[in-house]
Amino acid sequence: MNNQKQQKPTLSGQRFKTRKRDEKERFDPTQFQDCIIQGLTETGTDLEAVAKFLDASGAKLDYRRYAETLFDILVAGGMLAPGGTLADDMMRTDVCVFAAQEDLETMQAFAQVFNKLIRRYKYLEKGFEDEVKKLLLFLKGFSESERNKLAMLTGVLLANGTLNASILNSLYNENLVKEGVSAAFAVKLFKSWINEKDINAVAASLRKVSMDNRLMELFPANKQSVEHFTKYFTEAGLKELSEYVRNQQTIGARKELQKELQEQMSRGDPFKDIILYVKEEMKKNNIPEPVVIGIVWSSVMSTVEWNKKEELVAEQAIKHLKQYSPLLAAFTTQGQSELTLLLKIQEYCYDNIHFMKAFQKIVVLFYKAEVLSEEPILKWYKDAHVAKGKSVFLEQMKKFVEWLKNAEEESESETEEDVLKLNCLLSGFHR
């Protein structure tokens, strides 16, 4: 038996034909462009006919491969060179966004063309977003009229969900911002977007892509202030956008204030330093005192780990809040601030069940420490309280409120004996 392996026969001098589907087709956007432009020339400016032509052509032409060319033609009339110019030797068409009338109604009609095309060929979604990002970077290469049309179209497409708000990142390009192109474009864009939806829907879309706090970046660094943004967009007829940005800035400032306040408390900074810092922030960010007292209360209550036993937490709370009374008193110089604090205490005691029996003790402590005064307490008791734990807290406060009412009716002059009686009485309310 022959153990040697038999040599396998080999083929030499043979050539195999490559199957047609394995051949890589040459990238030829010019031929694709010619087909699209010829079709658009035949349809004319009837956008319904344009939409039907594009729908049918997707079965014959390679939209997936030539998406950029397709969208260049529909927006600018032909293939765009870097920078946004049309090549002189290329075919072009007037059936495009840039050659259309400069009004919102026309741009809404073009938006329907893009919407139908992308709904029919879902794979074009990403290509279209990339196209719009590119077009925004090319804004300086377009005329003012072309920019206005593109802005209106983009606003409508953002409103109907064809585009994602993340495309706006392109507007933060340094050169566009520096020359004022981004801000001017944003005016037209937001006008058409808000016209289609409302400011709440616009805000929700911006929040989804973390753009809600970046709108001031449409201006150069030396103009990135709420005042400048508000003036610019209000004068342009976008007061609702100005107010939204102002509110966002205020919310951000409040969050930052609370964060810094908690850090200062955990470090044990002197109250006089904390008060000075808070008052400076109030002035700088125009934060009213009733808002600040809510922030201070939340910060004070978050600096300690509370006992889980109801019978011990009240004593712990009184000891803790007595220490922080001077800080709280610095921000209850208005009746509305005192009422806000009372409501915050009520909500806190209700939301944290171990504090249900501590409400009255906290209010009496603050009355003694001159954080709270008679009038706001009586108003809270009468009609300014909220529903949370209402029956429990009103019952707790009944005797103290009766005493306050009686004290108001008595003579304003107090003897040393009266003061002693007052302190004894208030001490009794703690028990």
Side-chain angles (χ1 to χ4, degrees):
M1 189 176 179
N2 191 357
N3 289 330
Q4 287 186 341
K5 289 183 179 177
Q6 288 186 346
Q7 196 172 12
K8 292 182 179 179
T10 57
L11 292 172
S12 59
Q14 296 285 332
R15 294 188 67 187
F16 293 96
K17 284 187 178 181
T18 307
R19 286 175 296 183
K20 197 160 188 177
R21 69 169 179 264
D22 292 336
E23 291 178 358
K24 193 167 184 180
E25 191 182 339
R26 190 167 62 89
F27 184 71
D28 187 9
T30 307
Q31 188 179 351
F32 176 86
Q33 175 187 245
D34 294 347
C35 292
I36 293 293
I37 289 178
Q38 186 182 339
L40 292 175
T41 304
E42 290 170 7
T43 64
T45 54
D46 179 358
L47 295 184
E48 280 291 330
V50 169
K52 285 177 183 175
F53 160 70
L54 292 171
D55 187 296
S57 297
K60 296 174 279 185
L61 299 174
D62 193 349
Y63 281 177
R64 192 186 296 273
R65 195 172 196 200
Y66 298 109
E68 184 179 4
T69 305
L70 174 63
F71 292 128
D72 273 359
I73 296 165
L74 293 176
V75 173
M79 283 194 293
L80 290 169
T85 56
L86 283 169
D88 293 332
D89 57 341
M90 289 287 187
M91 281 181 69
R92 60 185 68 189
T93 176
D94 287 336
V95 186
C96 64
V97 172
F98 283 178
Q101 283 184 286
E102 189 185 327
D103 61 65
L104 184 58
E105 190 177 347
T106 304
M107 292 306 107
Q108 287 169 331
F110 264 100
Q112 282 303 308
V113 172
F114 286 104
N115 200 17
K116 286 175 183 176
L117 177 63
I118 290 164
R119 275 208 315 253
R120 175 71 176 83
Y121 300 102
K122 288 287 287 180
Y123 59 78
L124 287 174
E125 259 182 13
K126 178 70 168 63
F128 187 51
E129 282 203 0
D130 290 342
E131 173 73 11
V132 175
K133 288 176 187 175
K134 179 191 80 175
L135 291 170
L136 297 187
L137 291 173
F138 286 174
L139 285 178
K140 281 171 63 181
F142 305 145
S143 69
E144 185 181 352
S145 176
E146 288 169 347
R147 289 200 292 262
N148 289 342
K149 292 169 195 174
L150 182 60
M152 287 188 279
L153 174 70
T154 306
V156 175
L157 292 169
L158 283 164
N160 66 27
T162 305
L163 285 174
N164 184 287
S166 61
I167 57 104
L168 298 178
N169 265 312
S170 294
L171 290 180
Y172 299 131
N173 174 272
E174 188 179 353
N175 292 325
L176 295 177
V177 170
K178 187 179 177 182
E179 296 189 26
V181 175
S182 293
F185 185 87
V187 167
K188 292 284 184 183
L189 182 150
F190 279 110
K191 275 188 176 178
S192 67
W193 192 355
I194 292 169
N195 180 71
E196 298 289 311
K197 293 286 187 178
D198 60 30
I199 190 61
N200 294 323
V202 171
S205 296
L206 292 171
R207 270 196 303 274
K208 278 182 184 176
V209 293
S210 303
M211 287 279 201
D212 50 328
N213 291 316
R214 293 193 62 197
L215 293 179
M216 279 196 287
E217 293 175 39
L218 291 166
F219 298 100
N222 63 340
K223 292 181 179 177
Q224 286 180 16
S225 68
V226 177
E227 289 70 28
H228 181 77
F229 187 99
T230 301
K231 186 173 185 294
Y232 185 91
F233 280 94
T234 301
E235 288 176 357
L238 282 164
K239 189 179 178 183
E240 58 266 72
L241 184 67
S242 299
E243 289 174 350
Y244 167 72
V245 167
R246 186 177 287 281
N247 289 337
Q248 283 297 107
Q249 190 70 9
T250 303
I251 291 166
R254 290 174 189 179
K255 286 180 179 176
E256 190 58 37
L257 173 60
Q258 181 152 3
K259 182 183 173 187
E260 178 60 27
L261 199 51
Q262 288 172 347
E263 287 179 5
Q264 289 181 2
M265 288 178 187
S266 64
R267 289 197 305 262
D269 290 5
F271 285 162
K272 64 175 184 175
D273 294 346
I274 297 176
I275 291 167
L276 183 64
Y277 163 75
V278 174
K279 286 187 174 178
E280 284 174 354
E281 290 298 304
M282 285 171 69
K283 187 176 179 182
K284 185 170 78 175
N285 296 296
N286 197 28
I287 309 174
E289 190 185 79
V291 172
V292 169
I293 191 59
I295 293 171
V296 175
W297 164 261
S298 299
S299 301
V300 166
M301 296 306 281
S302 66
T303 58
V304 65
E305 193 167 326
W306 298 107
N307 201 302
K308 301 296 181 192
K309 293 182 179 178
E310 192 175 34
E311 62 273 15
L312 298 176
V313 80
E315 186 181 338
Q316 185 189 9
I318 295 303
K319 187 178 177 182
H320 178 69
L321 292 172
K322 190 174 183 179
Q323 179 190 346
Y324 280 94
S325 290
L327 179 61
L328 290 155
F331 302 103
T332 53
T333 63
Q334 303 168 13
Q336 188 57 47
S337 304
E338 293 183 55
L339 199 53
T340 299
L341 178 57
L342 277 162
L343 292 170
K344 291 289 181 184
I345 299 167
Q346 180 185 351
E347 288 172 358
Y348 188 90
C349 290
Y350 178 82
D351 293 338
N352 298 271
I353 195 165
H354 299 304
F355 280 81
M356 284 293 282
K357 291 182 180 178
F359 176 78
Q360 177 253 21
K361 293 180 173 68
I362 294 170
V363 175
V364 171
L365 167 71
F366 284 164
Y367 178 77
K368 285 177 71 178
E370 297 185 351
V371 176
L372 297 172
S373 56
E374 294 90 337
E375 194 176 330
I377 295 172
L378 293 174
K379 182 168 177 54
W380 172 87
Y381 187 82
K382 184 182 177 184
D383 56 21
H385 49 259
V386 290
K388 290 183 172 182
K390 169 183 164 182
S391 57
V392 175
F393 298 139
L394 291 179
E395 182 60 33
Q396 281 184 29
M397 291 291 290
K398 192 174 180 180
K399 288 183 181 179
F400 181 53
V401 167
E402 284 174 5
W403 178 83
L404 284 177
K405 287 178 180 176
N406 292 334
E408 272 193 322
E409 293 167 7
E410 291 175 2
S411 171
E412 290 182 9
S413 60
E414 287 183 337
T415 64
E416 192 176 328
E417 188 180 349
D418 292 329
V419 174
L420 186 62
K421 284 179 181 177
L422 171 64
N423 287 330
C424 288
L425 187 59
L426 290 177
S427 297
F429 285 125
H430 281 305
R431 290 195 291 272

